[in-house]
């Protein structure tokens, strides 16, 4: 990950963190896009945030920018810039890569409360 500020220059400079240069002959470094980061200078590529996480910012310089998707959302693919809401009737834990079927709001179990009837023949 190096670049030369002038075309034809033989002096190369390492790309700063948050950027990369994959090929030789570059006159500038490419900023890491949302969902990726570069935590070193001279990177030849940006590192993907893992599935289940996201990073909305470009130019990220640290893996800590990859944040777990909140509960009831997911990110199935690496390098996500956002999380997707779980479909109706499904749920997920934070950091999930998919949603799972959850109890339907109309199918919630109801508590059964037993009723006690007086026992005939027992007096006070």
């Amino acid at each position: 990950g190096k670049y030369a500020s002038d075309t034809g220059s033989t002096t190369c400079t390492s790309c700063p963190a948050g950027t990369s240069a994959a090929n030789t002959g570059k006159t500038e470094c490419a900023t890491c896009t949302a969902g990726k980061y570069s935590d070193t200078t001279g990177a030849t590529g940006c590192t993907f945030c893992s599935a289940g996480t996201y990073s909305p910012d470009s130019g990220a310089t640290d893996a800590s920018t990859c944040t777990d998707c909140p509960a009831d959302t997911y990110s199935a693919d690496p390098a996500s810039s956002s999380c997707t809401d779980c479909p109706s009737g499904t749920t997920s834990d934070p950091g999930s890569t998919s949603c799972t079927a959850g109890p339907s709001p109309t199918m919630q179990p109801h508590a059964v409360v037993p009723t006690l009837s007086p026992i005939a023949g027992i007096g006070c």
Side-chain angles (χ1 to χ4, degrees):
K2 295 185 178 188
Y3 72 102
S5 56
D6 297 316
T7 303
S9 175
T10 57
T11 304
C12 295
T13 304
S14 291
C15 291
T19 67
S20 69
N23 302 318
T24 58
K26 296 289 183 182
T27 56
E28 62 184 21
C29 300
T31 300
C32 294
T33 57
K36 302 175 187 177
Y37 67 94
S38 169
D39 57 2
T40 61
T41 59
T44 57
C46 298
T47 304
F48 290 11
C49 292
S50 60
T53 68
Y54 74 104
S55 177
D57 302 321
S58 59
T61 60
D62 193 277
S64 66
T65 61
C66 301
T67 305
D68 281 352
C69 289
D72 298 327
T73 68
Y74 71 99
S75 168
D77 300 314
S80 293
S81 60
S82 63
C83 300
T84 304
D85 290 335
C86 288
S88 180
T90 64
T91 62
S92 71
D93 291 328
S96 291
T97 58
S98 64
C99 300
T100 55
S104 168
T106 58
M107 298 295 287
Q108 294 292 328
H110 294 284
V112 177
V113 179
T115 56
L116 300 176
S117 56
I119 299 176
I122 297 181
C124 295

